[in-house]
Amino acid sequence: MQGFPVGLAMAEAVLSFRSVQHRHAVPAPRLTKPWAKREGPGVVGVSLDLHEGAVLGLIGPNGAGKTTLLRLMAGILPVQSGEIKSRFDGETWTDAGDLRTFVGHMPEQVRWQGRSTVVDALTQLGDMRGTSTKTIERLLALVGLRSRRDEPLDNLSQGMRQRLSIAAALLGSPKVLLLDEPFNGLDPVAAQAFAALVRTLASKGVSVVISSHMVAQLEGLIDRIALLHRGQLLDEGPLGEVEQRLGLSGRYAITGSGEVDPKTLVDEKSILAFEQREHDWILTVDGPSAEVLKAADDSGVALTSWAPVRPNLVEWLCAATGMSVDDISLEVASSALLPMQSMEVRGDE
């Protein structure tokens, strides 16, 4: 999950969210107030910085509050408490104001359909922002749809629809781009092309946030990670730092040819998994891989590959919450979104 080089040590935070909250109103009827509501699911006390030219992976299970947080960050949902600061034009932090002026948002589901062409659909949206025809054509080229500009929307593949969605999100040249589950429905080739487009945008200084419940999709793309669970941010930062804080670093997968007894290569307590296949084997260890490599060399064992092992979503959640795998599995399957901490729930009059 090593991101592309953008010089994160020098990258500056340009948008800051401090203890922001938005909880949805849910029905709580009473005999005397049948239309009464109360505060329900949402995001609570989230503090997060977005960095210039960096790609942040917002991960969490379904129902963790990722879409709610992105809509709040896009200015679609109001901030009920907390504050948002920006410093796009200098060193001084100021109130962000209307986020929609510098944030582009790509929702998870955009239904592009009809006989209208790609360029017509984008032009209609561009008219609302006063976007010139020249800019529309440049956006189509950027997302790889120039050759499809006159294609009816009904004829577009899922990958092309996703490209059109990101072009729409880029109208107005946003400084921050929010992508909600952008890899849904994409085949591996289209996903790779989409990731390359995200890297191009980040190299131009755009701060990108990608939400996903599939960590593997973000492999090699993101620089920072934010772990969201039950409406709260559990941890955030550069990948290596977060892995180290949660005790998820230092795991490696080593493969070799022939047959081998893994206990001759590493202490049994360090073995996480071992599989002996017909012609080769794969060993996953927790600890210094140099010891395994030296033991293999001393034993004359033929190694074919070595690579660090990145945690999956369940492992991230277990490490961050202290919950067991079984409990986390139930949490992931649940659609109930409630804050992890005890919060006072007030009734809406």
Side-chain angles (χ1 to χ4, degrees):
M1 205 178 291
Q2 179 66 40
F4 57 96
V6 294
L8 282 182
M10 300 176 61
E12 295 184 344
V14 291
L15 188 61
S16 180
F17 299 85
R18 286 290 168 263
S19 299
V20 294
Q21 172 175 314
H22 180 93
R23 295 179 67 179
H24 303 284
V26 297
R30 298 191 294 273
L31 183 61
T32 58
K33 296 182 179 179
W35 296 283
K37 295 184 178 182
R38 63 175 176 83
E39 290 181 326
V43 292
V44 179
V46 172
S47 295
L48 181 66
D49 289 340
L50 303 187
H51 294 73
E52 181 180 8
V55 182
L56 171 70
L58 179 63
I59 70 168
N62 291 329
K66 300 187 299 297
T67 295
T68 297
L69 180 57
L70 285 186
R71 289 176 178 172
L72 185 151
M73 296 168 73
I76 298 172
L77 294 177
V79 177
Q80 296 169 343
S81 64
E83 61 179 8
I84 306 175
K85 301 286 187 179
S86 66
R87 59 171 183 182
F88 291 107
D89 301 318
E91 295 298 321
T92 304
W93 288 100
T94 59
D95 289 333
D98 189 354
L99 293 171
R100 293 171 294 181
T101 60
F102 49 81
V103 175
H105 178 227
M106 174 182 164
E108 179 179 0
Q109 294 286 345
V110 181
R111 300 187 181 278
W112 298 105
Q113 58 188 7
R115 300 309 299 171
S116 179
T117 65
V118 169
V119 68
D120 288 342
L122 199 58
T123 300
Q124 290 174 13
L125 293 174
D127 288 342
M128 302 179 194
R129 284 182 170 264
T131 308
S132 66
T133 301
K134 183 178 180 180
T135 301
I136 294 292
E137 295 296 338
R138 187 164 61 246
L139 281 177
L140 290 175
L142 177 64
V143 301
L145 288 177
R146 175 182 286 172
S147 62
R148 301 282 184 170
R149 66 184 305 281
D150 298 317
E151 193 82 20
L153 297 177
D154 284 342
N155 293 356
L156 298 182
S157 66
Q158 180 61 24
M160 294 176 189
R161 296 173 194 270
Q162 294 288 66
R163 288 170 181 258
L164 182 55
S165 294
I166 199 171
L170 289 172
L171 290 170
S173 302
K175 299 176 181 179
V176 174
L177 182 62
L178 311 175
L179 307 175
D180 194 356
E181 300 285 358
F183 294 102
N184 281 356
L186 297 187
D187 59 60
V189 174
Q192 185 175 4
F194 196 88
L197 175 58
V198 171
R199 287 194 289 268
T200 298
L201 294 170
S203 69
K204 298 179 181 295
V206 178
S207 178
V208 183
V209 180
I210 302 176
S211 81
S212 179
H213 64 278
M214 300 294 290
V215 183
Q217 293 176 325
L218 305 179
E219 185 78 30
L221 177 59
I222 64 176
D223 307 293
R224 303 176 68 88
I225 194 166
L227 182 61
L228 194 68
H229 185 48
R230 295 176 65 187
Q232 297 183 53
L233 190 65
L234 304 184
D235 206 339
E236 185 274 333
L239 287 166
E241 292 182 11
V242 176
E243 284 186 349
Q244 189 172 11
R245 282 198 295 268
L246 297 181
L248 295 172
S249 59
R251 301 187 301 170
Y252 301 89
I254 303 169
T255 62
S257 57
E259 297 184 1
V260 70
D261 180 357
K263 298 177 184 177
T264 63
L265 302 179
V266 66
D267 186 270
E268 186 175 5
K269 293 185 295 184
S270 299
I271 299 176
L272 298 178
F274 176 73
E275 180 183 1
Q276 178 69 60
R277 297 180 289 204
E278 185 176 358
H279 302 294
D280 60 0
W281 50 269
I282 179 169
L283 171 66
T284 305
V285 299
D286 181 11
S289 61
E291 297 179 5
V292 182
L293 300 179
K294 184 178 185 304
D297 184 60
D298 294 342
S299 304
V301 176
L303 301 182
T304 55
S305 69
W306 165 92
V309 176
R310 300 301 182 188
N312 58 36
L313 176 58
V314 172
E315 290 171 324
W316 280 109
L317 294 176
C318 286
T321 63
M323 300 172 69
S324 68
V325 173
D326 292 338
D327 289 339
I328 284 291
S329 298
L330 291 175
E331 288 285 331
V332 171
S334 174
S335 61
L337 170 60
L338 294 174
M340 296 183 67
Q341 300 172 355
S342 298
M343 295 282 179
E344 179 183 356
V345 177
R346 303 186 306 272
D348 255 348
E349 295 297 329

